[in-house]
Amino acid sequence: MRNDRYLKKVNTVWQDKAPLRLRARRFFLCGLAVLLLIGGAIAGVTRMRSQPVLLSVTVGEGSQTNHTAEDFCRAANLAPGNPLHAKTKRDIAGILLEAFPEIDTVNVQKNKKTGTIVLSVKEKVPVFYVVSGTDYYLFDKSCTLFRRTRDAGETAGRIRLIVPDDALPAMRSPLDFGDDGDYMFAFLRSVFSAPFGSHVTAVSLTKRYDLRIMLDDRIVLFWGSDEYAEQKINVLSALLMDGMFAEGRFATVDLNVPSKVTARPYAVEQDVRTAFLTP
């Protein structure tokens, strides 16, 4: 009986203190939540303060480009004060390659200590050009279009291609010869791998069976089709050693039939150019 009275008294005291324990638990949990919020805020501020900020963008030494760092910043939205790592290096390179078709390669380097981005850029080198109206279309070595300009100076030292109007492609695309594409490109490769390849200044690709080549802006080769290409190259190599083709002389050479080659001298450059362009 005595033990029962003692246990009953203890239970009564425990029950009386239950509200106090509940309040203590609530106070502890609220305090813990406040501490977590404060800790998160402090961590966020610390991260913001420690995150590197973009201070400048420069074009690295050795780059080959006509564009400025400001041009690239506008295209890629690289503004001073933004987080340095807001865009990955791959993202920046992809944006610039898309925005500037003339860029061949771009390498992006970041320095978080100095907050700088250095761009190493190389543009495509024009190898061929096509004239259409007052515009000049510049192509790289794979005959892919990457620039359209009205500055004739940009074509200096480049090889002119005469092509059908409908062969002009969209930007970043190669010349479109339709079903004759493989044939035309194979012919171009054979021309520039030939012994006279370094002397080629223009090639006419308007018709598959009326291919023409100009050497040094003064000798026109009526190549015809690409049949008997090896024989034509051999015959031409021998002819180029002839005195008629000495420096300063103008001429046309008909190579349609390698066994019956005919050559015709011209007095002035304009005449030989007319022969090259006349269908």
Side-chain angles (χ1 to χ4, degrees):
M1 292 294 293
R2 185 176 180 178
N3 289 337
D4 290 342
R5 285 197 301 271
Y6 177 75
L7 290 174
K8 185 176 181 180
K9 183 177 181 180
V10 169
N11 288 336
T12 300
V13 172
W14 181 261
Q15 290 174 2
D16 291 342
K17 293 185 177 181
L20 293 175
R21 291 196 307 275
L22 182 60
R23 286 196 297 271
R25 181 182 300 173
R26 287 176 179 174
F27 179 79
F28 173 77
L29 292 175
C30 289
L32 180 61
V34 170
L35 289 175
L36 290 174
L37 287 173
I38 293 174
I42 293 173
V45 171
T46 302
R47 281 197 303 271
M48 290 179 65
R49 288 182 177 178
S50 62
Q51 186 175 23
V53 173
L54 176 62
L55 298 179
S56 67
V57 177
T58 59
V59 177
E61 293 183 8
S63 292
Q64 300 170 0
T65 177
N66 293 319
H67 294 286
T68 65
E70 289 74 18
D71 297 332
F72 297 136
C73 286
R74 283 193 295 270
N77 193 24
L78 300 173
N82 287 347
L84 182 65
H85 301 304
K87 291 183 176 69
T88 66
K89 293 189 289 187
R90 179 176 294 183
D91 288 341
I92 295 171
I95 292 171
L96 296 182
L97 288 171
E98 179 66 26
F100 301 95
E102 61 270 34
I103 291 180
D104 189 22
T105 62
V106 55
N107 181 267
V108 182
Q109 295 295 328
K110 294 181 178 180
N111 189 323
K112 60 183 180 182
K113 291 183 178 179
T114 60
T116 58
I117 291 178
V118 178
L119 304 173
S120 298
V121 181
K122 289 188 178 180
E123 294 188 3
K124 295 179 179 179
V125 177
V127 176
F128 307 104
Y129 73 95
V130 173
V131 182
S132 180
T134 58
D135 294 323
Y136 300 90
Y137 295 79
L138 304 182
F139 296 81
D140 63 14
K141 60 184 178 181
S142 66
C143 289
T144 298
L145 176 63
F146 67 88
R147 185 186 298 135
R148 179 179 177 180
T149 180
R150 291 191 173 182
D151 180 6
E154 293 194 48
T155 66
R158 316 305 175 191
I159 298 166
R160 181 177 179 181
L161 299 180
I162 314 296
V163 301
D165 290 338
D166 59 1
L168 280 174
M171 199 65 69
R172 297 187 180 86
S173 299
L175 284 165
D176 184 5
F177 295 104
D179 294 338
D180 290 335
D182 291 342
Y183 181 93
M184 294 299 196
F185 290 127
F187 170 69
L188 278 177
R189 287 193 295 270
S190 68
V191 166
F192 294 105
S193 63
F196 57 83
S198 61
H199 295 275
V200 175
T201 52
V203 181
S204 176
L205 302 167
T206 55
K207 298 177 182 178
R208 176 171 177 167
Y209 297 103
D210 186 19
L211 303 171
R212 303 180 184 189
I213 303 168
M214 180 175 280
L215 306 180
D216 297 327
D217 285 330
R218 63 189 183 87
I219 299 174
V220 173
L221 309 178
F222 294 113
W223 199 265
S225 71
D226 201 30
E227 294 179 321
Y228 312 112
E230 186 175 352
Q231 294 94 314
K232 292 177 182 180
I233 290 173
N234 292 335
V235 170
L236 181 61
S237 297
L239 284 174
L240 290 177
M241 298 179 66
D242 191 282
M244 187 179 72
F245 302 109
E247 188 68 30
R249 300 288 295 276
F250 302 96
T252 61
V253 182
D254 191 337
L255 291 161
N256 277 277
V257 182
S259 60
K260 297 181 180 179
V261 174
T262 58
R264 179 184 177 186
Y266 280 83
V268 295
E269 179 180 1
Q270 185 57 44
D271 291 340
V272 77
R273 285 182 174 274
T274 300
F276 177 73
L277 297 172
T278 301

